[in-house]
Amino acid sequence: IWGNTLVDVKDIDITNLSFEEAIDIVPMEEDSGFKDERFDIILGNPPYMRTEEIKGTTSSKEIEVYKKNYKSAYKQYDKYFLFIERAILKLKSDGIAGLLVPNKFFTIGAAIELRKFIQNNNGLKQITDFKYAQIFEGVTNYVAMVQFGNFNSPIFNYSVVNSINGAFQSHVRLAYNSNNLLASHWFLTEDKELRDLYDFAINNFPKIEEEILTVNGIQTSKNDVYLLKK
């Protein structure tokens, strides 16, 4: 099946699209079979694209569909958030989606709605985190291989590897209960002792926001203004 897996034809008035927009968006047709299909396996390396890049390369009509249909299209979302959400929704009850995605969605504020969605659906089976290891030649990305699914259980396994080959070798995996993860961020480590210390601190120490007022410093997303050429 070929088409835009994020946008169905019912989501957009194709009579209002220009020829260029129709070619660019390519909404998934009703009769393609994709609408009602549920999959055993989904494999993918979805595009990593920040909100600013989406706005600069994507039709406003398509962006409207993102905001309307996807819980993960929240604040400064990344396009791969939407693919994670869509993949989970398109799986059979015992299906698995294996996606290679940036690991920052574990912690960043913009991904809080995505994390809630995953937790509410018991949507995690396994995370193999490359952490700081670089697997794309000439491009800096911090990624993880994430298996989504496992809808009947909140338990998933987490491990850290430092190479592609290492991902397919036996290594220590630490089991987590997704119900015990905070929505604000996921603290994930393969070190059980460190996790136990973290859990103790969360349960026994005051949060920093309760003790002091925290504020953001100067920030901007207007890169074309603030990134200066030599």
Side-chain angles (χ1 to χ4, degrees), residues 88 105 118-119 121-127 146-151 153-157 178 181 186:
I88 289 174
F105 87 86
I118 295 170
Q119 288 174 265
N121 285 278
N122 286 335
L124 279 176
K125 182 175 178 64
Q126 185 169 289
I127 297 174
V146 185
Q147 289 186 21
F148 298 95
N150 203 35
F151 303 120
S153 172
I155 304 302
F156 68 96
N157 292 316
S178 63
L181 299 177
W186 294 348

Side-chain angles (χ1 to χ4, degrees), residues 187-230:
F187 178 79
L188 300 173
T189 175
E190 78 279 22
D191 185 334
K192 186 178 185 302
E193 183 178 356
L194 180 60
R195 186 181 69 179
D196 290 344
L197 288 171
Y198 172 82
D199 289 341
F200 180 84
I202 287 293
N203 293 322
N204 293 278
F205 300 154
K207 293 180 173 61
I208 192 169
E209 292 92 343
E210 297 170 358
E211 303 300 316
I212 63 173
L213 176 64
T214 58
V215 295
N216 280 330
I218 297 172
Q219 58 182 339
T220 177
S221 296
K222 194 70 172 175
N223 290 340
D224 55 340
V225 172
Y226 287 89
L227 293 183
L228 306 180
K229 295 180 180 180
K230 269 189 177 182

Side-chain angles (χ1 to χ4, degrees), residues 99-101 103 106 124-131 135 143-147 156-169 171-173 188:
L99 303 182
L100 183 67
V101 291
N103 54 26
F106 303 159
L124 279 176
K125 182 175 178 64
Q126 185 169 289
I127 297 174
T128 304
D129 194 353
F130 289 100
K131 210 78 171 181
I135 65 170
V143 298
M145 294 195 310
V146 185
Q147 289 186 21
F156 68 96
N157 292 316
Y158 176 83
S159 62
V160 175
V161 295
N162 57 18
S163 69
I164 294 175
N165 289 336
F168 300 98
Q169 297 169 355
H171 45 268
V172 176
R173 295 189 182 278
L188 300 173

Side-chain angles (χ1 to χ4, degrees), residues 14-55:
I14 59 175
T15 63
N16 269 340
L17 297 181
S18 67
F19 176 77
E20 289 76 14
E21 286 174 324
I23 293 298
D24 182 53
I25 298 173
V26 198
M28 193 67 72
E29 296 289 345
E30 291 280 340
D31 59 358
S32 67
F34 185 76
K35 175 186 175 185
D36 300 314
E37 186 66 81
R38 292 293 180 271
F39 296 91
D40 298 295
I41 298 173
I42 296 173
L43 297 176
N45 177 18
Y48 317 153
M49 187 179 290
R50 295 172 300 170
T51 300
E52 295 82 8
E53 295 169 324
I54 294 172
K55 289 178 179 177

Side-chain angles (χ1 to χ4, degrees), residues 34-98:
F34 185 76
K35 175 186 175 185
D36 300 314
E37 186 66 81
R38 292 293 180 271
F39 296 91
D40 298 295
I41 298 173
I42 296 173
L43 297 176
N45 177 18
Y48 317 153
M49 187 179 290
R50 295 172 300 170
T51 300
E52 295 82 8
E53 295 169 324
I54 294 172
K55 289 178 179 177
T57 60
T58 309
S59 164
S60 60
K61 294 184 176 69
E62 183 167 350
I63 293 174
E64 288 171 11
V65 175
Y66 297 167
K67 301 297 286 186
K68 178 182 176 183
N69 288 358
Y70 294 92
K71 292 181 173 65
S72 55
Y74 174 73
K75 289 191 173 179
Q76 296 298 101
Y77 66 94
D78 197 295
K79 197 167 188 176
Y80 73 88
F81 293 8
L82 313 182
F83 280 91
I84 291 174
E85 183 176 341
R86 183 67 155 167
I88 289 174
L89 291 173
K90 296 298 292 184
L91 286 175
K92 291 181 179 178
S93 60
D94 59 349
I96 295 293

